[in-house]
Amino acid sequence: MPHYTAFFALIIISTAVLLTVFIRKKDKKLVVLLFFIIGMAYILEYVVFVLFESYDYDPDFMTNEYFDNLFGSLTSQAFAFPIMAMVVAAYQLKFRYILFISAMFMGIEELFLHWDIYTHHWWKTVYTGVLMTIGFSISKIWYVWLTERYMTFVHYATFVLGMIAITSTIMFMLLAYFHNNWFYTGWFGSATHDSVNATIIYVCIVTILLVWSVAKEFFVGAGMIIAGLRIVDILLIHYGVLLVSITTSLVLFTLLQAGAFILSVMLQNFIMKNCYGTSKKDVAFPAKNY
């Protein structure tokens, strides 16, 4: 059996569960929650998987070894875990069910280890169980907060992590499709690993800055941020850290960041309308300055 079969099976099953819940619940807050959970999973995966190289995936689907590894990671962090976390939240499952689902994921992990399509370095399956239990519990609480607590902290965290989920996924697809290494820092032996790590940092910083400009309705500031990033790019190119041409920076990166700004505006409006029932900040958060 090809290695990628198990990974695609996980994607197909997760997607079927996702569609079933959406059809039955018809609650757009679940979309917001899903993006938030994916963003949270990406941040944790960056630390554990990209920085500290805890484990390796081997779906044997992509020619580049590290992109293949990342594809395996996305199967878990963009599909299996966040979708199941959304199910826990949507149905407000009790803790004993959370423990059961966490144990189920531990069983799947052991099965992947047995099939030699997944390898531990310093990681242990029990760590997965503990983190899954915490993640499912956060998801359950966060869904209630999106419904009942119109707090600026909840909104900012949801907005930022939701956009990180979107921009990071787009980043992976672009890098994997074009097989480009955009950065060089020398932190990792693999050129692709090194580039992906730096690209994630770059994309997250850009995303946070653009989300801030949208949240503050400082739209001129978004243009200033994008223009300022071109100066940063030129400096990084000069010092050999950014491995693209100035033309690529001025054209491709500008278009991508303008697109990220538009997506930020759309996500902000989607969250405000579906979680708070209004597009006006002073109505959603009457007690505080936004």
Side-chain angles (χ1 to χ4, degrees):
M1 181 178 70
H3 286 197
Y4 56 76
T5 303
F7 292 91
F8 277 106
L10 205 55
I11 291 173
I12 292 169
I13 293 170
S14 299
T15 303
V17 172
L18 174 71
L19 293 175
T20 301
V21 174
F22 280 163
I23 290 170
R24 290 186 176 180
K25 286 294 185 177
K26 296 181 175 62
D27 185 356
K28 293 181 179 178
K29 287 191 293 294
L30 291 173
V31 178
V32 176
L33 179 70
L34 182 65
F35 282 131
F36 165 76
I37 295 297
I38 293 173
M40 184 176 68
Y42 279 5
I43 294 296
L44 180 61
E45 189 77 341
Y46 169 72
V47 175
V48 172
F49 171 67
V50 177
L51 279 185
F52 293 105
E53 304 177 86
S54 52
Y55 37 69
D56 283 330
Y57 297 89
D58 184 23
D60 198 21
F61 178 66
M62 307 184 76
T63 54
N64 182 289
E65 184 177 350
Y66 195 73
F67 284 139
D68 195 52
N69 201 0
L70 277 178
F71 171 74
S73 172
L74 285 177
T75 301
S76 173
Q77 307 308 324
F79 288 92
F81 164 68
I83 290 172
M84 192 53 67
M86 186 195 69
V87 171
V88 169
Y91 293 97
Q92 290 294 289
L93 298 182
K94 294 182 178 180
F95 190 68
R96 63 176 179 270
Y97 295 112
I98 290 177
L99 291 177
F100 174 78
I101 296 170
S102 298
M104 180 185 70
F105 271 92
M106 291 171 67
I108 293 172
E109 183 163 329
E110 286 294 320
L111 192 60
F112 275 40
L113 287 168
H114 177 71
W115 287 340
D116 291 326
I117 58 177
Y118 173 70
T119 305
H120 285 166
H121 295 304
W122 54 267
W123 192 256
K124 296 183 184 300
T125 303
V126 68
Y127 300 163
T128 298
V130 171
L131 290 175
M132 288 282 182
T133 302
I134 294 171
F136 292 150
S137 300
I138 291 173
S139 177
K140 181 178 176 180
I141 294 168
W142 208 266
Y143 181 58
V144 174
W145 285 358
L146 287 175
T147 305
E148 299 177 357
R149 293 194 180 189
Y150 301 161
M151 298 168 56
T152 52
F153 164 73
V154 173
H155 178 71
Y156 275 127
T158 303
F159 190 14
V160 169
L161 290 175
M163 273 309 301
I164 285 176
I166 294 169
T167 54
S168 297
T169 302
I170 293 172
M171 173 208 75
F172 168 76
M173 291 190 295
L174 287 173
L175 291 177
Y177 181 78
F178 290 108
H179 292 278
N180 286 339
N181 290 330
W182 285 352
F183 288 89
Y184 171 76
T185 62
W187 292 1
F188 298 96
S190 164
T192 305
H193 189 176
D194 191 56
S195 177
V196 166
N197 174 69
T199 305
I200 290 171
I201 295 171
Y202 182 90
V203 167
C204 286
I205 291 172
V206 172
T207 301
I208 290 169
L209 290 173
L210 292 176
V211 164
W212 172 81
S213 70
V214 172
K216 294 296 183 181
E217 294 185 346
F218 187 32
F219 298 145
V220 174
M224 294 169 62
I225 289 168
I226 292 173
L229 286 167
R230 301 292 69 79
I231 298 173
V232 173
D233 288 352
I234 290 170
L235 290 173
L236 292 175
I237 291 170
H238 175 74
Y239 288 107
V241 175
L242 184 57
L243 307 177
V244 300
S245 67
I246 292 177
T247 302
T248 299
S249 167
L250 290 175
V251 178
L252 178 61
F253 284 16
T254 298
L255 289 175
L256 288 174
Q257 288 159 13
F261 169 72
I262 293 170
L263 288 173
S264 297
V265 173
M266 293 172 63
L267 182 60
Q268 158 100 330
N269 291 338
F270 188 85
I271 294 172
M272 296 289 287
K273 179 180 178 180
N274 292 287
C275 293
Y276 318 129
T278 178
S279 59
K280 297 180 179 179
K281 295 182 299 186
D282 57 343
V283 176
F285 308 103
K288 297 182 179 181
N289 293 324
Y290 187 76

